[in-house]
Amino acid sequence: GENVEQHPSTLSVQEGDSAVIKCTYSDSASNYFPWYKQELGKRPQLIIDIRSNVGEKKDQRIAVTLNKTAKHFSLHITETQPEDSAVYFCAAAGGGNKLTFGTGTQLKVEL
Amino acid sequence: SAVISQKPSRDICQRGTSLTIQCQVDSQVTMMFWYRQQPGQSLTLIATANQGSEATYESGFVIDKFPISRPNLTFSTLTVSNLSPEDSSIYLCSVEGGQGAFHGLDTQYFGPGTRLTVL
């Protein structure tokens, strides 16, 4: 089955800096890669996703890149703000739309 | 996106008992899923709840321990049976439902979760 690795497990940045979280996947058949943000005590919230026919996608301060050849995808957050502090999960899905999640990254944006 | 609710939001149960969690969606959805999130961990798919047929379980999860019902396209239940402290987790349902051109129809959205503590 699919295996998703996520790095780093914790990330601390200064407000206004950029943050990058990286994930790799094992199943070359996976074609859908969402990113979720989970604040303490709350549900995971979809923040951005990308499909295998696209190399990059942006939504304001958030972007995701996908390298299918290398089987890795990354989340980029620019101009970080304190409210970006949360746990971020990447995931991968192939046939059947079953999501396999990475282990999560605790992002802390410091003032 | 669809509005998803879960009941109960939290519960404390005794060892050996069972807890049934309900997931309600405000619109018809084809796919519903159940996940477990152990304390401080990631999300693990338990099963896909199929409408009108038996759920499809992932490796390591069995129907006797996690029976699932899906009587219609807006509702599902997950029962966690014969509880032990190791079952203490957050249980989340998710549904597929896109919200337009930016996300696809297979995008998954999560319910608020049920926090289960087993004593």
Side-chain angles (χ1 to χ4, degrees):
Chain A
E2 175 66 277
N3 181 51
V4 178
E5 295 189 359
Q6 183 171 347
H7 299 281
S9 58
T10 61
L11 179 59
S12 185
V13 299
Q14 294 293 314
E15 184 180 8
D17 288 350
S18 295
V20 180
I21 303 170
K22 299 182 178 182
C23 290
T24 61
Y25 61 99
S26 61
D27 188 352
S28 56
S30 289
N31 56 15
Y32 174 60
F33 308 92
W35 286 86
Y36 290 86
K37 174 185 180 182
Q38 188 174 32
E39 297 177 65
L40 190 63
K42 298 196 174 178
R43 76 185 80 188
Q45 296 272 13
L46 178 76
I47 54 171
I48 197 167
D49 55 5
I50 192 168
R51 296 174 192 279
S52 57
N53 58 344
V54 175
E56 182 175 2
K57 186 175 181 181
K58 283 189 76 172
D59 183 12
Q60 300 181 335
R61 296 187 297 110
I62 295 172
V64 57
T65 60
L66 171 65
N67 183 326
K68 280 208 70 181
T69 303
K71 290 191 281 189
H72 66 70
F73 56 113
S74 301
L75 177 71
H76 304 253
I77 306 173
T78 59
E79 300 172 28
T80 53
Q81 301 166 3
E83 51 265 39
D84 294 329
S85 296
V87 178
Y88 290 80
F89 292 100
C90 64
N97 299 325
K98 297 188 301 182
L99 290 177
T100 299
F101 282 83
T103 49
T105 297
Q106 175 76 63
L107 173 64
K108 183 177 180 182
V109 180
E110 299 176 330
L111 296 171
Chain B
S1 58
V3 176
I4 309 164
S5 60
Q6 283 186 235
K7 288 183 187 178
S9 58
R10 59 178 62 226
D11 207 342
I12 300 173
C13 299
Q14 295 297 318
R15 185 192 301 253
T17 64
S18 298
L19 176 70
T20 296
I21 303 166
Q22 299 179 5
C23 179
Q24 179 76 55
V25 191
D26 70 343
S27 59
Q28 293 186 340
V29 293
T30 304
M31 303 294 288
M32 293 181 77
F33 305 89
W34 286 98
Y35 289 82
R36 181 176 72 183
Q37 187 174 28
Q38 295 178 302
Q41 303 294 313
S42 184
L43 293 89
T44 302
L45 179 64
I46 297 171
T48 303
N50 301 308
Q51 196 268 326
S53 65
E54 196 170 282
T56 305
Y57 290 85
E58 297 303 302
S59 177
F61 298 96
V62 295
I63 188 171
D64 289 348
K65 176 68 175 176
F66 299 99
I68 288 170
S69 77
R70 178 89 192 270
N72 55 52
L73 294 176
T74 64
F75 186 79
S76 178
T77 67
L78 168 73
T79 299
V80 189
S81 303
N82 189 24
L83 291 168
S84 68
E86 293 72 37
D87 295 320
S88 297
S89 289
I90 298 172
Y91 293 86
L92 302 110
C93 66
S94 76
V95 306
E96 282 190 350
Q99 52 180 6
F102 196 71
H103 299 297
L105 292 176
D106 55 354
T107 302
Q108 284 189 36
Y109 298 92
F110 285 87
T114 296
R115 182 181 293 273
L116 169 62
T117 302
V118 183
L119 301 178

